[in-house]
Amino acid sequence: MAEQKQDTASALKDIISHAKEYGFVFPSSEIYDGLQAVYDYGQNGVELKNNLKTLWWKAMTMLNDNVVGIDASIFMHPLTWKASGHVDSFNDPMIDNKDSKKRYRADQLLEGRAEEYEKAGTPEKGKALLEAMAKAMTDDDMSGLRQLILDEEIKCPISGTGNWTEVRQFNLMFSTQVGAVSEDASLIYLRPETAQGIFVNFLNVQKSGRMKVPFGIAQIGKAFRNEIVARNFIFRMREFEQMEMQFFCRPGTEMQWYNAWKETRLKFHKAIGLPAEKLRYHDHEKLAHYANAAVDIEYEFPFGFKEMEGIHSRTDFDLKSHQGLSKKKQQYFDADLDENGKPYGNYIPYVVETSVGADRLFLAVLCNAYTNEVVGEGEAAKERTYLKFHPSVAPIKAAVLPLVKKDGLAEKAQDIYHSLKRSFNVTYDDGGAIGKRYTRQDLAGTPFCIAVDYQTMEDNTVTIRHRDSMEQERVAIADLREKIGFAVSMERVFEQL
Ligand code: ATP
């Protein structure tokens, strides 16, 4: 078991250092030793992330007739967060070890112990512990959680002691003040989710777009949470990006839409190259106060199956709360006829939400792409590392490489590079041996390398080297745009949806 743990820890470590070395993800403000749980995307990372966001955006808004997008502000009226329940209950239970002064999430310590029971072949003990934990978390007083930690004799990994403080509730929202003069300034929050920006604009979009229920509103944007224990690289960050869609439907039809979106979203992840065996549904047994059904799509990260996307049937909770607090009606008039031939009339729509973290999807795609294998046999065997991104998400689609710089080859390669760069993200590299240049592109996940050689000067053909198989084929320059363009296109992904 220990060896397995070592392997998964080192697999993630390798991915983190690869991400840094090849310009995907850097620790934030690194020259000042970084800022915990905050990261920056580098030159390749931002391309990969933008590709994922564009695929999601287009899959939502272009492929569904009844889904449109918005871009709401990060700052919102503070009552928004009162209505949504975040002011009163967006809390995590935290506990400190008095000796190491380290802070932990009490529920995560217990979940860790439950996982240990499962690995040790006693899953029933783990299940019982999780049930006891769920019960203790519904008490206002968090002493039950602390007692479970004491009963389980859970120790702090740093100090090795069980010298724990009381458990306290900790609100995850970041707050700041608006207004120049401190007496007039009022408290506002950095949004902890993008969903509320959609709810408060429900009627604006419905009326201005003449939208008929059922319809959806999609949004991509930053969200902020003061996570107590931030870990696993970009899996849990304090500043992150969400891609959310709220689908407004007639009450009573929500389960049909919930099931449909559940399937659609899983299909999306498979279409961008995540393997079926690394994806699974995880139904929520304990539902949030606003939900009548909820499921996570989990991906098998190097640290285990974890939530990547949540699909929730949120009933009319949010619109109803906003109606209550704002005193503005959040109703829709449905002119369609029911089975008795009467219009359905006024109601507050029910909502099915799909919510995926752009950064978690990025991490899943990066982990899946990271490949370290031995090629060749015997004496000639050597290790090869590359990123096998689906071509539609790869940061750079193709690299143009002249075999040598002299005899007009560099100029010919430059011409090809300039003619392709209007169609897709392409790079040019003429420095060093061609083998080394192939390797550099493999490490960044570029699916195609276009080599310009002496034959090119005679017959206007080049070789395309394929990243995964390393096979080469001879292609006419005139066919490059179509051949590579189709392979890297988003259309190929959409055909599977
Ligand atoms: P978790 O249980 O992992 O904290 P959650 O259930 O609180 O996640 P939601 O509130 O449902 O998450 O948010 C929807 C999605 O936003 C998640 O599925 C995840 O992809 C992403 N997300 C949430 N919190 C973070 C975070 N701190 N860092 C990165 N992504 C996040």
Side-chain angles (χ1 to χ4, degrees):
M1 207 195 296
E3 204 177 295
Q4 171 77 23
K5 210 161 180 183
Q6 178 63 35
D7 277 345
T8 54
S10 73
L12 183 64
K13 238 169 110 192
D14 288 350
I15 291 167
I16 295 172
S17 58
H18 190 96
K20 182 167 175 225
E21 195 169 345
Y22 296 98
F24 284 88
V25 183
F26 307 127
S28 156
S29 17
E30 199 186 3
I31 58 168
Y32 296 104
D33 297 332
L35 182 64
Q36 213 205 352
V38 187
Y39 290 90
D40 297 339
Y41 287 89
Q43 68 280 15
N44 283 324
V46 70
E47 295 291 343
L48 172 58
K49 198 175 180 200
N50 281 344
N51 289 339
L52 292 171
K53 290 197 289 188
T54 307
L55 274 161
W56 181 88
W57 184 263
K58 292 195 167 173
M60 279 295 172
T61 62
M62 222 166 73
L63 301 191
N64 296 290
D65 298 340
N66 48 357
V67 178
V68 293
I70 63 162
D71 182 16
S73 315
I74 287 171
F75 290 139
M76 298 183 71
H77 192 287
L79 284 180
T80 310
W81 306 110
K82 185 78 190 155
S84 68
H86 284 82
V87 171
D88 297 320
S89 58
F90 194 49
N91 300 319
D92 274 344
M94 66 176 191
I95 191 165
D96 293 15
N97 182 270
K98 290 184 194 162
D99 298 318
S100 66
K101 309 270 184 283
K102 284 277 169 202
R103 180 163 292 175
Y104 299 91
R105 257 175 69 177
D107 55 332
Q108 285 181 351
L109 288 178
L110 291 164
E111 279 167 8
R113 175 55 51 93
E115 263 172 41
E116 281 169 25
Y117 280 134
E118 186 152 346
K119 281 185 192 152
T122 51
E124 66 291 346
K125 276 190 169 178
K127 200 163 174 255
L129 179 59
L130 291 180
E131 277 166 13
M133 179 182 94
K135 191 166 170 297
M137 289 196 30
T138 58
D139 295 340
D140 285 341
D141 158 18
M142 291 278 119
S143 62
L145 272 189
R146 178 172 191 267
Q147 196 54 48
L148 283 173
I149 289 171
L150 296 181
D151 293 348
E152 289 290 327
E153 298 183 357
I154 295 175
K155 303 277 186 286
C156 162
I158 311 283
S159 68
T161 72
N163 192 7
W164 298 108
T165 59
E166 295 302 316
V167 174
R168 275 172 296 155
Q169 288 287 22
F170 178 80
N171 194 290
L172 298 179
M173 281 197 293
F174 285 103
S175 60
T176 186
Q177 295 192 323
V178 271
V181 190
S182 59
E183 301 88 73
D184 297 341
S186 55
L187 187 73
I188 55 164
Y189 301 99
L190 295 186
R191 66 180 176 197
E193 63 175 27
T194 56
Q196 298 305 323
I198 295 179
F199 288 123
V200 299
N201 278 300
F202 155 66
L203 279 182
N204 282 338
V205 174
Q206 190 272 317
K207 288 189 172 137
S208 61
R210 298 162 59 84
M211 308 295 290
K212 281 184 77 179
V213 166
F215 72 91
I217 305 179
Q219 175 168 223
I220 298 179
K222 289 261 177 157
F224 304 82
R225 296 182 188 177
N226 196 1
E227 300 279 3
I228 303 168
V229 187
R231 57 180 176 190
N232 289 336
F233 192 36
I234 56 171
F235 180 81
R236 189 172 297 287
M237 299 197 286
R238 296 205 164 110
E239 173 181 340
F240 57 99
E241 221 164 346
Q242 288 185 315
M243 306 193 283
E244 297 199 302
M245 194 275 312
Q246 314 292 325
F247 195 76
F248 300 89
C249 61
R250 186 183 298 148
T253 63
E254 72 275 13
M255 288 319 289
Q256 165 202 332
W257 290 111
Y258 171 78
N259 287 325
W261 281 111
K262 205 173 134 174
E263 259 181 49
T264 305
R265 293 303 306 144
L266 187 67
K267 244 197 225 166
F268 174 87
H269 296 304
K270 290 184 191 160
I272 61 166
L274 295 177
E277 65 278 12
K278 284 190 167 267
L279 293 163
R280 72 176 189 198
Y281 290 124
H282 172 78
D283 285 309
H284 286 211
E285 276 154 31
K286 189 176 166 285
L287 295 172
H289 56 285
Y290 52 74
N292 66 1
V295 65
D296 293 337
I297 297 179
E298 295 186 337
Y299 174 77
E300 190 177 18
F301 292 96
F303 39 89
F305 270 103
K306 297 275 179 234
E307 170 178 347
M308 185 167 69
E309 169 153 8
I311 295 147
H312 311 119
S313 174
R314 291 178 78 119
T315 67
D316 58 359
F317 172 82
D318 302 86
L319 288 180
K320 211 179 198 166
S321 310
H322 287 305
Q323 173 170 292
L325 214 56
S326 68
K327 308 275 183 281
K328 310 265 170 20
K329 280 221 159 81
Q330 298 298 307
Q331 285 183 346
Y332 167 78
F333 181 80
D334 191 337
D336 282 359
L337 304 181
D338 64 14
E339 64 272 15
N340 301 317
K342 293 213 177 93
Y344 282 98
N346 280 312
Y347 56 78
I348 298 179
Y350 268 38
V351 171
V352 174
E353 164 185 81
T354 71
S355 174
V356 56
D359 313 273
R360 281 196 194 170
L361 183 59
F362 180 109
L363 183 58
V365 166
L366 183 64
C367 290
N368 184 59
Y370 185 78
T371 312
N372 191 251
E373 62 191 20
V374 176
V375 287
E377 276 171 30
E379 295 268 292
K382 58 175 186 198
E383 251 187 59
R384 175 174 180 242
T385 301
Y386 63 103
L387 297 177
K388 58 168 191 310
F389 292 125
H390 188 286
S392 68
V393 304
I396 304 165
K397 308 303 184 189
V400 186
L401 317 171
L403 185 64
V404 289
K405 276 192 243 179
K406 56 186 185 182
D407 302 328
L409 267 63
E411 289 74 13
K412 186 82 179 167
Q414 280 279 342
D415 285 349
I416 297 173
Y417 161 69
H418 287 294
S419 76
L420 293 179
K421 75 178 184 190
R422 282 180 232 112
S423 306
F424 40 82
N425 198 13
V426 58
T427 188
Y428 172 85
D429 183 8
D430 61 14
I434 191 130
K436 288 229 169 76
R437 281 181 272 157
Y438 284 149
T439 304
R440 268 206 294 275
Q441 295 304 324
D442 287 348
L443 291 163
T446 308
F448 304 104
C449 283
I450 300 164
V452 174
D453 53 21
Y454 285 102
Q455 193 183 327
T456 311
M457 309 306 277
E458 284 163 22
D459 64 4
N460 274 323
T461 65
V462 289
T463 61
I464 295 184
R465 173 195 178 264
H466 295 259
R467 177 196 61 204
D468 301 354
S469 63
M470 294 188 289
E471 275 169 13
Q472 307 201 5
E473 61 173 323
R474 203 83 206 168
V475 174
I477 294 172
D479 295 340
L480 279 176
R481 187 194 314 272
E482 204 186 311
K483 202 167 166 68
I484 297 180
F486 178 69
V488 303
S489 71
M490 296 197 174
E491 210 181 311
R492 270 187 73 200
V493 173
F494 298 149
E495 275 171 2
Q496 295 170 56
L497 296 178

